[in-house]
Amino acid sequence: AIAGGVRAQRLHDDVGYLRYATCMSEVTADNIRGAMEHIKQQGDKGEVKGLIIDVRDNGGGALEFAIGFATYFFPEKKVVSYIQYKEGPGHSDFSKLYPQYVKPDGEAVFSGKIVVLTNCMVFSAANDFVATMKCLPNVTLIGNTTGGGGGAPFSGELYNGWRVRISRNPLFDANKQHIEFGIEPDIRVDMDKDDEYEGVDSIIEYAISYLNGSE
């Protein structure tokens, strides 16, 4: 089932799956509730014990959409990141760190164990989504280091025709660690080439085993 920018399905008796492929479209409260209800009803098996959110190859989009989606998994208001602003022409002319908050509207749609799948092609708003979800104690990042980026990017063209895209404002995670150059996973898992050739996603298989306590 596809709800807004999210595709939902049940991968295992006890594991649900949400594919968040782009931050270009908004995921509304009705979208996410519909997606979770679809997972619950699929196969008439009821609630799941674990949830996979797959953001691999998500190149970003609108920051408000990415953080808005993450908000549905937070039970209460929380500092999730920090931002600095350029205040002058000098290399280090930046402001103090300003906290950024998630402010949920209602209960979290899922409070069980969550795995967020990442890889090096996760950029911009999707990178911020990963940093935000990492703040939750029930979330584990599995896969590879994200591509980074974010911070209200500015795009331009050089004289030789090359296009450049740079962040205007440095972004930091909840521990005040820089995230512009990527976010490392809690558990690094690479795609097994033999499995990939056979059409098996070894990273998803690992995540299912992890959520079921086998890893």
Side-chain angles (χ1 to χ4, degrees):
I2 298 176
V6 174
R7 177 166 61 86
Q9 66 184 103
R10 199 174 189 119
L11 295 181
H12 189 273
D13 285 356
D14 296 323
V15 177
Y17 176 84
L18 297 177
R19 171 63 175 147
Y20 189 41
T22 177
C23 305
M24 295 297 289
S25 58
E26 182 180 12
V27 180
T28 68
D30 286 343
N31 291 156
I32 187 61
R33 291 193 185 104
M36 296 304 297
E37 186 63 25
H38 174 78
I39 290 173
K40 178 181 177 180
Q41 293 179 352
Q42 205 169 28
D44 195 29
K45 296 183 177 68
E47 299 285 357
V48 292
K49 296 178 181 178
L51 182 67
I52 295 171
I53 303 176
D54 189 353
V55 296
R56 291 174 296 174
D57 300 325
N58 185 328
L63 180 59
E64 61 268 30
F65 292 162
I67 303 305
F69 178 45
T71 297
Y72 300 127
F73 299 94
F74 279 75
E76 58 188 7
K77 181 180 177 181
K78 188 177 181 68
V79 174
V80 295
S81 63
Y82 292 86
I83 191 169
Q84 282 184 316
Y85 298 98
K86 197 78 167 72
E87 292 188 326
H91 180 75
S92 301
D93 291 342
F94 288 97
S95 71
K96 67 178 183 180
L97 292 171
Y98 289 94
Q100 307 295 297
Y101 296 88
V102 153
K103 302 175 183 178
D105 183 13
E107 295 183 4
V109 297
F110 186 76
S111 57
K113 291 172 63 176
I114 298 174
V115 162
V116 176
L117 302 185
T118 64
N119 67 4
C120 63
M121 297 303 292
V122 175
F123 293 104
S124 192
N127 190 64
D128 298 332
F129 172 82
V130 172
T132 300
M133 292 296 291
K134 187 178 180 180
C135 295
L136 289 169
N138 59 320
V139 167
T140 302
L141 308 183
I142 292 179
N144 211 327
T145 304
T146 64
F154 168 80
S155 297
E157 184 172 322
L158 302 179
Y159 289 112
N160 62 0
W162 289 1
R163 297 285 298 175
V164 295
R165 192 167 182 263
I166 58 175
S167 298
R168 296 174 179 173
N169 307 314
L171 290 177
F172 303 81
D173 65 16
N175 296 316
K176 299 182 180 180
Q177 300 299 306
H178 215 298
I179 64 170
E180 287 295 325
F181 303 108
I183 301 165
E184 293 186 4
D186 297 308
I187 302 173
R188 175 159 181 164
V189 180
D190 294 314
M191 186 74 78
D192 183 280
K193 295 300 181 183
D194 292 334
D195 284 346
E196 187 175 11
Y197 180 78
E198 296 294 331
V200 175
D201 192 321
S202 51
I203 299 177
I204 288 181
E205 294 301 320
Y206 182 95
I208 291 172
S209 296
Y210 175 83
L211 289 169
N212 282 320
S214 302
E215 294 290 350

PDB file of all heavy atoms in Angstrom, residues 43-68:
ATOM      1  N   GLY A  43      -2.613  -9.808   6.235  1.00  0.00           N
ATOM      2  CA  GLY A  43      -2.524 -11.186   6.689  1.00  0.00           C
ATOM      3  C   GLY A  43      -3.309 -11.440   7.955  1.00  0.00           C
ATOM      4  O   GLY A  43      -3.255 -12.525   8.519  1.00  0.00           O
ATOM      5  N   ASP A  44      -4.042 -10.424   8.442  1.00  0.00           N
ATOM      6  CA  ASP A  44      -4.875 -10.551   9.638  1.00  0.00           C
ATOM      7  C   ASP A  44      -4.052 -11.046  10.832  1.00  0.00           C
ATOM      8  O   ASP A  44      -4.486 -11.916  11.592  1.00  0.00           O
ATOM      9  CB  ASP A  44      -6.053 -11.492   9.375  1.00  0.00           C
ATOM     10  CG  ASP A  44      -7.138 -11.379  10.453  1.00  0.00           C
ATOM     11  OD1 ASP A  44      -7.266 -10.283  11.027  1.00  0.00           O
ATOM     12  OD2 ASP A  44      -7.820 -12.379  10.712  1.00  0.00           O
ATOM     13  N   LYS A  45      -2.862 -10.464  10.992  1.00  0.00           N
ATOM     14  CA  LYS A  45      -1.976 -10.911  12.072  1.00  0.00           C
ATOM     15  C   LYS A  45      -1.882  -9.912  13.219  1.00  0.00           C
ATOM     16  O   LYS A  45      -1.179 -10.132  14.187  1.00  0.00           O
ATOM     17  CB  LYS A  45      -0.575 -11.188  11.512  1.00  0.00           C
ATOM     18  CG  LYS A  45      -0.513 -12.333  10.505  1.00  0.00           C
ATOM     19  CD  LYS A  45       0.916 -12.569  10.072  1.00  0.00           C
ATOM     20  CE  LYS A  45       1.024 -13.754   9.110  1.00  0.00           C
ATOM     21  NZ  LYS A  45       0.400 -13.489   7.812  1.00  0.00           N
ATOM     22  N   GLY A  46      -2.543  -8.764  13.115  1.00  0.00           N
ATOM     23  CA  GLY A  46      -2.526  -7.802  14.205  1.00  0.00           C
ATOM     24  C   GLY A  46      -1.272  -6.940  14.236  1.00  0.00           C
ATOM     25  O   GLY A  46      -0.584  -6.765  13.238  1.00  0.00           O
ATOM     26  N   GLU A  47      -0.979  -6.399  15.429  1.00  0.00           N
ATOM     27  CA  GLU A  47       0.151  -5.492  15.600  1.00  0.00           C
ATOM     28  C   GLU A  47       1.486  -6.196  15.339  1.00  0.00           C
ATOM     29  O   GLU A  47       1.610  -7.409  15.518  1.00  0.00           O
ATOM     30  CB  GLU A  47       0.156  -4.922  17.018  1.00  0.00           C
ATOM     31  CG  GLU A  47      -1.075  -4.107  17.379  1.00  0.00           C
ATOM     32  CD  GLU A  47      -1.076  -2.730  16.745  1.00  0.00           C
ATOM     33  OE1 GLU A  47      -0.081  -2.382  16.061  1.00  0.00           O
ATOM     34  OE2 GLU A  47      -2.072  -2.010  16.927  1.00  0.00           O
ATOM     35  N   VAL A  48       2.482  -5.395  14.935  1.00  0.00           N
ATOM     36  CA  VAL A  48       3.829  -5.924  14.759  1.00  0.00           C
ATOM     37  C   VAL A  48       4.674  -5.544  15.962  1.00  0.00           C
ATOM     38  O   VAL A  48       4.396  -4.573  16.660  1.00  0.00           O
ATOM     39  CB  VAL A  48       4.488  -5.390  13.467  1.00  0.00           C
ATOM     40  CG1 VAL A  48       3.799  -5.952  12.242  1.00  0.00           C
ATOM     41  CG2 VAL A  48       4.500  -3.864  13.439  1.00  0.00           C
ATOM     42  N   LYS A  49       5.731  -6.317  16.217  1.00  0.00           N
ATOM     43  CA  LYS A  49       6.636  -6.049  17.334  1.00  0.00           C
ATOM     44  C   LYS A  49       7.791  -5.154  16.924  1.00  0.00           C
ATOM     45  O   LYS A  49       8.418  -4.519  17.766  1.00  0.00           O
ATOM     46  CB  LYS A  49       7.169  -7.366  17.886  1.00  0.00           C
ATOM     47  CG  LYS A  49       6.105  -8.264  18.490  1.00  0.00           C
ATOM     48  CD  LYS A  49       6.705  -9.576  18.984  1.00  0.00           C
ATOM     49  CE  LYS A  49       5.643 -10.497  19.560  1.00  0.00           C
ATOM     50  NZ  LYS A  49       6.209 -11.800  20.004  1.00  0.00           N
ATOM     51  N   GLY A  50       8.096  -5.123  15.632  1.00  0.00           N
ATOM     52  CA  GLY A  50       9.203  -4.318  15.138  1.00  0.00           C
ATOM     53  C   GLY A  50       8.848  -3.653  13.823  1.00  0.00           C
ATOM     54  O   GLY A  50       7.985  -4.134  13.080  1.00  0.00           O
ATOM     55  N   LEU A  51       9.518  -2.540  13.535  1.00  0.00           N
ATOM     56  CA  LEU A  51       9.229  -1.771  12.325  1.00  0.00           C
ATOM     57  C   LEU A  51      10.536  -1.368  11.653  1.00  0.00           C
ATOM     58  O   LEU A  51      11.468  -0.891  12.305  1.00  0.00           O
ATOM     59  CB  LEU A  51       8.427  -0.520  12.680  1.00  0.00           C
ATOM     60  CG  LEU A  51       7.993   0.375  11.527  1.00  0.00           C
ATOM     61  CD1 LEU A  51       6.962  -0.327  10.638  1.00  0.00           C
ATOM     62  CD2 LEU A  51       7.413   1.684  12.061  1.00  0.00           C
ATOM     63  N   ILE A  52      10.598  -1.565  10.335  1.00  0.00           N
ATOM     64  CA  ILE A  52      11.730  -1.113   9.517  1.00  0.00           C
ATOM     65  C   ILE A  52      11.302   0.118   8.732  1.00  0.00           C
ATOM     66  O   ILE A  52      10.264   0.107   8.061  1.00  0.00           O
ATOM     67  CB  ILE A  52      12.183  -2.212   8.539  1.00  0.00           C
ATOM     68  CG1 ILE A  52      12.727  -3.423   9.299  1.00  0.00           C
ATOM     69  CG2 ILE A  52      13.243  -1.677   7.582  1.00  0.00           C
ATOM     70  CD1 ILE A  52      12.993  -4.623   8.410  1.00  0.00           C
ATOM     71  N   ILE A  53      12.091   1.193   8.821  1.00  0.00           N
ATOM     72  CA  ILE A  53      11.891   2.381   7.982  1.00  0.00           C
ATOM     73  C   ILE A  53      13.100   2.474   7.058  1.00  0.00           C
ATOM     74  O   ILE A  53      14.222   2.704   7.503  1.00  0.00           O
ATOM     75  CB  ILE A  53      11.748   3.662   8.817  1.00  0.00           C
ATOM     76  CG1 ILE A  53      10.598   3.528   9.822  1.00  0.00           C
ATOM     77  CG2 ILE A  53      11.502   4.868   7.892  1.00  0.00           C
ATOM     78  CD1 ILE A  53      10.452   4.725  10.744  1.00  0.00           C
ATOM     79  N   ASP A  54      12.867   2.282   5.777  1.00  0.00           N
ATOM     80  CA  ASP A  54      13.942   2.207   4.783  1.00  0.00           C
ATOM     81  C   ASP A  54      14.072   3.545   4.058  1.00  0.00           C
ATOM     82  O   ASP A  54      13.201   3.930   3.284  1.00  0.00           O
ATOM     83  CB  ASP A  54      13.612   1.085   3.787  1.00  0.00           C
ATOM     84  CG  ASP A  54      14.758   0.773   2.845  1.00  0.00           C
ATOM     85  OD1 ASP A  54      15.762   1.507   2.862  1.00  0.00           O
ATOM     86  OD2 ASP A  54      14.645  -0.220   2.097  1.00  0.00           O
ATOM     87  N   VAL A  55      15.184   4.261   4.325  1.00  0.00           N
ATOM     88  CA  VAL A  55      15.419   5.542   3.640  1.00  0.00           C
ATOM     89  C   VAL A  55      16.631   5.455   2.709  1.00  0.00           C
ATOM     90  O   VAL A  55      17.142   6.485   2.254  1.00  0.00           O
ATOM     91  CB  VAL A  55      15.603   6.700   4.645  1.00  0.00           C
ATOM     92  CG1 VAL A  55      14.343   6.924   5.453  1.00  0.00           C
ATOM     93  CG2 VAL A  55      16.796   6.469   5.564  1.00  0.00           C
ATOM     94  N   ARG A  56      17.084   4.268   2.399  1.00  0.00           N
ATOM     95  CA  ARG A  56      18.225   4.127   1.496  1.00  0.00           C
ATOM     96  C   ARG A  56      17.925   4.770   0.143  1.00  0.00           C
ATOM     97  O   ARG A  56      16.814   4.661  -0.377  1.00  0.00           O
ATOM     98  CB  ARG A  56      18.563   2.645   1.311  1.00  0.00           C
ATOM     99  CG  ARG A  56      19.139   1.983   2.555  1.00  0.00           C
ATOM    100  CD  ARG A  56      19.329   0.497   2.363  1.00  0.00           C
ATOM    101  NE  ARG A  56      18.060  -0.206   2.145  1.00  0.00           N
ATOM    102  CZ  ARG A  56      17.953  -1.490   1.832  1.00  0.00           C
ATOM    103  NH1 ARG A  56      19.040  -2.222   1.680  1.00  0.00           N
ATOM    104  NH2 ARG A  56      16.772  -2.046   1.662  1.00  0.00           N
ATOM    105  N   ASP A  57      18.923   5.462  -0.392  1.00  0.00           N
ATOM    106  CA  ASP A  57      18.805   6.149  -1.694  1.00  0.00           C
ATOM    107  C   ASP A  57      17.828   7.323  -1.680  1.00  0.00           C
ATOM    108  O   ASP A  57      17.433   7.815  -2.742  1.00  0.00           O
ATOM    109  CB  ASP A  57      18.406   5.166  -2.808  1.00  0.00           C
ATOM    110  CG  ASP A  57      19.403   4.044  -2.981  1.00  0.00           C
ATOM    111  OD1 ASP A  57      20.605   4.290  -2.802  1.00  0.00           O
ATOM    112  OD2 ASP A  57      18.980   2.914  -3.292  1.00  0.00           O
ATOM    113  N   ASN A  58      17.435   7.789  -0.496  1.00  0.00           N
ATOM    114  CA  ASN A  58      16.575   8.969  -0.400  1.00  0.00           C
ATOM    115  C   ASN A  58      17.462  10.206  -0.497  1.00  0.00           C
ATOM    116  O   ASN A  58      18.233  10.505   0.409  1.00  0.00           O
ATOM    117  CB  ASN A  58      15.807   8.941   0.929  1.00  0.00           C
ATOM    118  CG  ASN A  58      14.800  10.077   1.055  1.00  0.00           C
ATOM    119  OD1 ASN A  58      15.004  11.163   0.542  1.00  0.00           O
ATOM    120  ND2 ASN A  58      13.710   9.804   1.764  1.00  0.00           N
ATOM    121  N   GLY A  59      17.349  10.921  -1.610  1.00  0.00           N
ATOM    122  CA  GLY A  59      18.202  12.078  -1.866  1.00  0.00           C
ATOM    123  C   GLY A  59      17.760  13.355  -1.202  1.00  0.00           C
ATOM    124  O   GLY A  59      18.399  14.391  -1.367  1.00  0.00           O
ATOM    125  N   GLY A  60      16.661  13.306  -0.434  1.00  0.00           N
ATOM    126  CA  GLY A  60      16.220  14.492   0.293  1.00  0.00           C
ATOM    127  C   GLY A  60      14.993  15.140  -0.305  1.00  0.00           C
ATOM    128  O   GLY A  60      14.195  14.508  -1.001  1.00  0.00           O
ATOM    129  N   GLY A  61      14.845  16.429  -0.042  1.00  0.00           N
ATOM    130  CA  GLY A  61      13.657  17.165  -0.467  1.00  0.00           C
ATOM    131  C   GLY A  61      13.380  18.289   0.509  1.00  0.00           C
ATOM    132  O   GLY A  61      14.277  19.065   0.835  1.00  0.00           O
ATOM    133  N   ALA A  62      12.154  18.342   1.013  1.00  0.00           N
ATOM    134  CA  ALA A  62      11.747  19.409   1.919  1.00  0.00           C
ATOM    135  C   ALA A  62      11.996  18.997   3.366  1.00  0.00           C
ATOM    136  O   ALA A  62      11.501  17.964   3.816  1.00  0.00           O
ATOM    137  CB  ALA A  62      10.270  19.743   1.716  1.00  0.00           C
ATOM    138  N   LEU A  63      12.751  19.813   4.079  1.00  0.00           N
ATOM    139  CA  LEU A  63      13.083  19.497   5.469  1.00  0.00           C
ATOM    140  C   LEU A  63      11.831  19.375   6.326  1.00  0.00           C
ATOM    141  O   LEU A  63      11.736  18.486   7.183  1.00  0.00           O
ATOM    142  CB  LEU A  63      14.008  20.575   6.034  1.00  0.00           C
ATOM    143  CG  LEU A  63      14.460  20.383   7.490  1.00  0.00           C
ATOM    144  CD1 LEU A  63      15.194  19.070   7.667  1.00  0.00           C
ATOM    145  CD2 LEU A  63      15.327  21.559   7.930  1.00  0.00           C
ATOM    146  N   GLU A  64      10.843  20.255   6.097  1.00  0.00           N
ATOM    147  CA  GLU A  64       9.630  20.207   6.914  1.00  0.00           C
ATOM    148  C   GLU A  64       8.858  18.899   6.720  1.00  0.00           C
ATOM    149  O   GLU A  64       8.217  18.394   7.645  1.00  0.00           O
ATOM    150  CB  GLU A  64       8.711  21.399   6.627  1.00  0.00           C
ATOM    151  CG  GLU A  64       8.187  21.512   5.209  1.00  0.00           C
ATOM    152  CD  GLU A  64       9.065  22.362   4.307  1.00  0.00           C
ATOM    153  OE1 GLU A  64      10.299  22.405   4.540  1.00  0.00           O
ATOM    154  OE2 GLU A  64       8.516  22.973   3.366  1.00  0.00           O
ATOM    155  N   PHE A  65       8.939  18.323   5.513  1.00  0.00           N
ATOM    156  CA  PHE A  65       8.273  17.040   5.274  1.00  0.00           C
ATOM    157  C   PHE A  65       9.011  15.910   5.995  1.00  0.00           C
ATOM    158  O   PHE A  65       8.394  15.018   6.580  1.00  0.00           O
ATOM    159  CB  PHE A  65       8.205  16.743   3.778  1.00  0.00           C
ATOM    160  CG  PHE A  65       7.307  17.663   3.008  1.00  0.00           C
ATOM    161  CD1 PHE A  65       7.416  17.765   1.624  1.00  0.00           C
ATOM    162  CD2 PHE A  65       6.351  18.428   3.642  1.00  0.00           C
ATOM    163  CE1 PHE A  65       6.583  18.606   0.900  1.00  0.00           C
ATOM    164  CE2 PHE A  65       5.513  19.285   2.933  1.00  0.00           C
ATOM    165  CZ  PHE A  65       5.630  19.370   1.557  1.00  0.00           C
ATOM    166  N   ALA A  66      10.348  15.935   5.937  1.00  0.00           N
ATOM    167  CA  ALA A  66      11.151  14.887   6.574  1.00  0.00           C
ATOM    168  C   ALA A  66      10.963  14.886   8.087  1.00  0.00           C
ATOM    169  O   ALA A  66      10.714  13.842   8.703  1.00  0.00           O
ATOM    170  CB  ALA A  66      12.625  15.077   6.226  1.00  0.00           C
ATOM    171  N   ILE A  67      11.074  16.064   8.703  1.00  0.00           N
ATOM    172  CA  ILE A  67      10.926  16.158  10.157  1.00  0.00           C
ATOM    173  C   ILE A  67       9.477  15.923  10.552  1.00  0.00           C
ATOM    174  O   ILE A  67       9.194  15.328  11.591  1.00  0.00           O
ATOM    175  CB  ILE A  67      11.423  17.520  10.669  1.00  0.00           C
ATOM    176  CG1 ILE A  67      12.876  17.743  10.245  1.00  0.00           C
ATOM    177  CG2 ILE A  67      11.283  17.601  12.176  1.00  0.00           C
ATOM    178  CD1 ILE A  67      13.834  16.637  10.662  1.00  0.00           C
ATOM    179  N   GLY A  68       8.543  16.358   9.703  1.00  0.00           N
ATOM    180  CA  GLY A  68       7.133  16.100   9.974  1.00  0.00           C
ATOM    181  C   GLY A  68       6.838  14.610  10.050  1.00  0.00           C
ATOM    182  O   GLY A  68       6.082  14.153  10.919  1.00  0.00           O
TER     183      GLY A  68
END
